[in-house]
Amino acid sequence: MSDIEKEKHSSDVEPRGLDFVDDRYGFDVHDTDKVQRRLQQRHVQMIAIAGTIGTGLFLGSGHALQGAGPLGALMAYALVGTVAYSSLCSIGEMTTHAPISGTFPHFAARWVDPAFGFAVGWNYFYTNCISTPVEVTAATILITFWDSDTNHAAIYTAVICVLVCAINIFGVRYFGESEFIFSLIKITLIISLLLAGLIIDLGGGPNHERIGFRFWKHPGALTGPGLVKNVNTDKFLGVLSVLIQAAFSFQGMELVAIAASETKSPRRNIAKAVRRVFYRILVFYILGIIMIGMLVAYDDPALLADTGTAAQSPFVIAIERAGVKVFPHIINAAIFTSAFSAGNSFLFCSSRILYGLALRGQAPRYLTWCTKKGLPLYAVLTAAAPVALSFMNVSAGAATVFNWFVNLSTTAGFTSWFAINLTYVFFHRGMKAQGFDLRKNVYNNRLQPYLAYWGIFWTVFFTLVNGFEVFFNFTAAGFFTSYINIPVFAILYFGYKIVKRTQVWKPHEMDFVTGIPSVEETEIPEEPPTNIWQKIGRFLF
């Protein structure tokens, strides 16, 4: 980067950016970015609240309870929740500064190293591409709650695949409306389950049996996977064993930032969404885990039934034990919409990441083509192709390979969170070095950059320990799915770095201006509410 000025500046100099432009990395793509801002405030807020909540919370929480006990599951979800929160705060501040296509892979290329952005972008694209068929398969399995005929599985899979792809092909407006409706259903379901669980726990069910914290005392608050003889060590390993399950439940929370380039008034709306995410984690995830730990014992035989339907949900198990019979069907239907919605969201994410990579010359150029309504059609169609992998689960032999993909997608999610937090550290350092006042950003968390350091530490820890169980009973497949993403990411990074001969950006070389729209260009003045309903809507959304 010999053409880049490399001068020493004091912290009180004027913010710089335009004079540090390096044309090789395509930062100024304002004229070629053709997506349009069609997502409304209510769409963004609902997506932020419940957009990517899927089967991980409703069904997977049972595996967490069984693997670590009520206290162990709570500890795992709380820890992963703090890491997810730190990641969202980091990406939220960077996105409100630069609400452009490409989101955090572009930020990584712009403020860390172009090679790092390339590796991050393709890693995240791959993660979401695999997550889409995972959720499609989950939705298909949920239908077996009513139709157990395995011969119909391929038909249901095909219908769900077509619907998920169609919503994304119709455009971002239809995606926003569908996610708004699905999010309402999910929020209604979660709140209903929490209230129903509390009523049952206090003895308000048909059998009037008061449960309280009975199961925290017997069989106990902690359990382990039985890997070592020492009981306390085994309980610690139990908490580690459910970290991956907890991470899958939180995966995709950054969707609201990825949609920034297609959101009206993105800076205001994303800032508002990020500020609310703490309460979302607290209410939906933490209270949810506490509730199931109160309702069901970790050694309950029903938790061993890996049906993939509402029958394995701890909430359904508790509700049926209390004597309520019709509720499980309603819950299964709602969880089905959650799985469908999550698949819909992951496809949206992967297509927009691919589009952003193409804009910066890190993916084939034809993927930048957009329709007159701003839909990156070729990127959507390319990202939709892996949805066909969901048919692998129809075949018994291919199902094993498909499960490998599931594990790979979850562990790759840790890499994305690591990249977000590391990029923020560089962003924070560069902004301060160039004289920007971080407090003047539309969104700024006073705990930064310590939140980002917290996220970096734990994502590295999760990545290293996520496959620890394989060392107690070694299998090549288990080791492969747990750790293959590390060398894959390294190959992407060093391969691009060697070919393109990129360098890590120094604080005074970072570009915080080029191609980034001003506040006046993106923000529409917020109209004050004129009646009670508008005031309620403003409070909720």
Side-chain angles (χ1 to χ4, degrees):
M1 293 182 288
S2 58
D3 58 327
I4 297 175
E5 185 175 295
K6 299 180 178 179
E7 299 176 354
K8 296 293 183 179
H9 298 273
S10 62
S11 60
D12 58 348
V13 297
E14 289 297 317
R16 304 295 296 274
L18 285 172
D19 50 343
F20 293 114
V21 175
D22 191 324
D23 294 334
R24 290 177 295 169
Y25 304 128
F27 292 162
D28 191 3
V29 294
H30 187 271
D31 294 333
T32 57
D33 190 352
K34 301 300 182 183
V35 295
Q36 300 174 14
R37 301 189 184 278
R38 293 176 174 268
L39 288 177
Q40 304 286 344
Q41 176 173 309
R42 60 186 178 88
H43 297 146
V44 174
Q45 299 308 318
M46 291 303 288
I47 289 172
I49 293 172
T52 53
I53 294 177
T55 55
L57 176 61
F58 295 119
L59 302 183
S61 54
H63 291 297
L65 177 63
Q66 180 190 357
L71 179 58
L74 177 61
M75 292 166 61
Y77 270 77
L79 177 58
V80 176
T82 63
V83 178
Y85 178 68
S86 70
S87 304
L88 197 61
C89 289
S90 296
I91 193 176
E93 184 165 350
M94 293 186 292
T95 303
T96 52
H97 174 76
I100 53 180
S101 291
T103 186
F104 69 90
H106 172 60
F107 301 154
R110 186 172 188 134
W111 299 320
V112 181
D113 182 346
F116 189 63
F118 174 83
V120 169
W122 282 103
N123 175 84
Y124 194 70
F125 169 72
Y126 148 79
T127 302
N128 284 275
C129 274
I130 299 302
S131 297
T132 304
V134 168
E135 294 294 348
V136 169
T137 299
T140 302
I141 295 173
L142 285 161
I143 296 177
T144 63
F145 190 74
W146 301 294
D147 183 2
S148 58
D149 191 338
T150 56
N151 295 323
H152 297 162
I155 299 174
Y156 293 136
T157 300
V159 172
I160 296 170
C161 285
V162 170
L163 290 175
V164 167
C165 294
I167 289 175
N168 278 270
I169 291 173
F170 285 152
V172 70
R173 183 176 179 181
Y174 291 93
F175 169 78
E177 291 296 346
S178 64
E179 285 306 299
F180 180 80
I181 295 171
F182 290 141
S183 294
L184 280 176
I185 295 173
K186 284 186 272 192
I187 291 172
T188 303
L189 172 63
I190 294 173
I191 294 174
S192 299
L193 290 176
L194 289 175
L195 290 175
L198 182 61
I199 292 170
I200 291 172
D201 187 75
L202 296 176
N207 60 6
H208 301 294
E209 182 183 5
R210 183 182 176 90
I211 302 174
F213 281 87
R214 177 191 309 171
F215 298 127
W216 283 60
K217 298 177 181 178
H218 181 76
L222 291 166
T223 188
L227 297 175
V228 294
K229 294 182 178 179
N230 185 286
V231 175
N232 292 327
T233 303
D234 196 52
K235 289 179 179 179
F236 171 74
L237 295 178
V239 177
L240 291 184
S241 69
V242 301
L243 287 174
I244 298 299
Q245 175 58 53
F248 184 72
S249 301
F250 285 99
Q251 192 170 324
M253 294 184 71
E254 59 279 355
L255 168 61
V256 65
I258 293 172
S261 62
E262 297 175 77
T263 300
K264 292 183 178 180
S265 299
R267 290 179 164 97
R268 180 177 67 242
N269 286 321
I270 291 174
K272 185 185 294 184
V274 173
R275 290 188 183 102
R276 291 178 175 180
V277 76
F278 174 80
Y279 302 102
R280 164 190 167 185
I281 293 173
L282 180 64
V283 174
F284 296 158
Y285 289 93
I286 304 305
L287 289 184
I289 293 297
I290 292 175
M291 189 59 65
I292 66 170
M294 294 166 62
L295 295 173
V296 182
Y298 69 73
D299 60 352
D300 193 305
L303 289 176
L304 298 174
D306 191 11
T307 62
T309 69
Q312 78 175 68
S313 170
F315 288 105
V316 172
I317 294 171
I319 290 170
E320 287 188 324
R321 295 270 169 80
V324 182
K325 299 300 181 184
V326 70
F327 211 33
H329 293 274
I330 300 174
I331 295 174
N332 195 75
I335 296 176
F336 170 81
T337 66
S338 296
F340 183 91
S341 168
N344 194 29
S345 298
F346 287 131
L347 177 54
F348 176 87
C349 282
S350 59
S351 64
R352 279 10 181 224
I353 291 296
L354 188 60
Y355 174 71
L357 286 168
L359 281 177
R360 274 88 195 176
Q362 295 183 328
R365 197 67 180 175
Y366 78 92
L367 296 170
T368 63
W369 187 85
C370 291
T371 65
K372 292 181 180 179
K373 294 185 177 180
L375 173 71
L377 182 60
Y378 292 160
V380 172
L381 293 176
T382 303
V387 176
L389 290 173
S390 54
F391 286 98
M392 295 177 67
N393 219 39
V394 176
S395 169
T400 301
V401 179
F402 182 78
N403 288 331
W404 293 351
F405 285 136
V406 175
N407 294 332
L408 283 169
S409 68
T410 305
T411 54
F414 289 140
T415 306
S416 299
W417 286 356
F418 167 80
I420 289 171
N421 288 292
L422 181 64
T423 301
Y424 180 83
V425 170
F426 276 73
F427 168 82
H428 187 274
R429 186 175 61 180
M431 291 280 281
K432 293 188 71 174
Q434 295 188 30
F436 286 90
D437 187 353
L438 289 161
R439 293 170 298 179
K440 292 183 179 180
N441 288 347
V442 176
Y443 174 76
N444 174 251
N445 193 303
R446 290 177 296 177
L447 297 177
Q448 291 286 22
Y450 305 107
L451 278 176
Y453 288 130
W454 175 267
I456 290 171
F457 172 81
W458 284 111
T459 49
V460 171
F461 178 80
F462 294 160
T463 301
L464 295 177
V465 306
N466 80 86
F468 77 93
E469 289 181 86
V470 74
F471 296 105
F472 291 89
N473 184 21
F474 188 84
T475 62
F479 182 82
F480 175 85
T481 56
S482 297
Y483 295 106
I484 190 61
N485 197 64
I486 297 175
V488 167
F489 188 87
I491 291 170
L492 288 171
Y493 175 69
F494 288 107
Y496 192 88
K497 192 172 186 65
I498 292 170
V499 173
K500 298 293 184 178
R501 309 184 80 171
T502 66
Q503 297 181 30
V504 176
W505 296 107
K506 294 181 174 62
H508 289 94
E509 297 173 350
M510 298 176 188
D511 183 356
F512 296 105
V513 177
T514 305
I516 297 175
S518 65
V519 173
E520 291 74 21
E521 289 179 281
T522 62
E523 305 306 296
I524 301 172
E526 196 169 16
E527 297 181 2
T530 57
N531 55 54
I532 185 63
W533 297 112
Q534 289 183 0
K535 290 180 180 180
I536 293 174
R538 177 69 54 83
F539 174 77
L540 293 175
F541 308 125

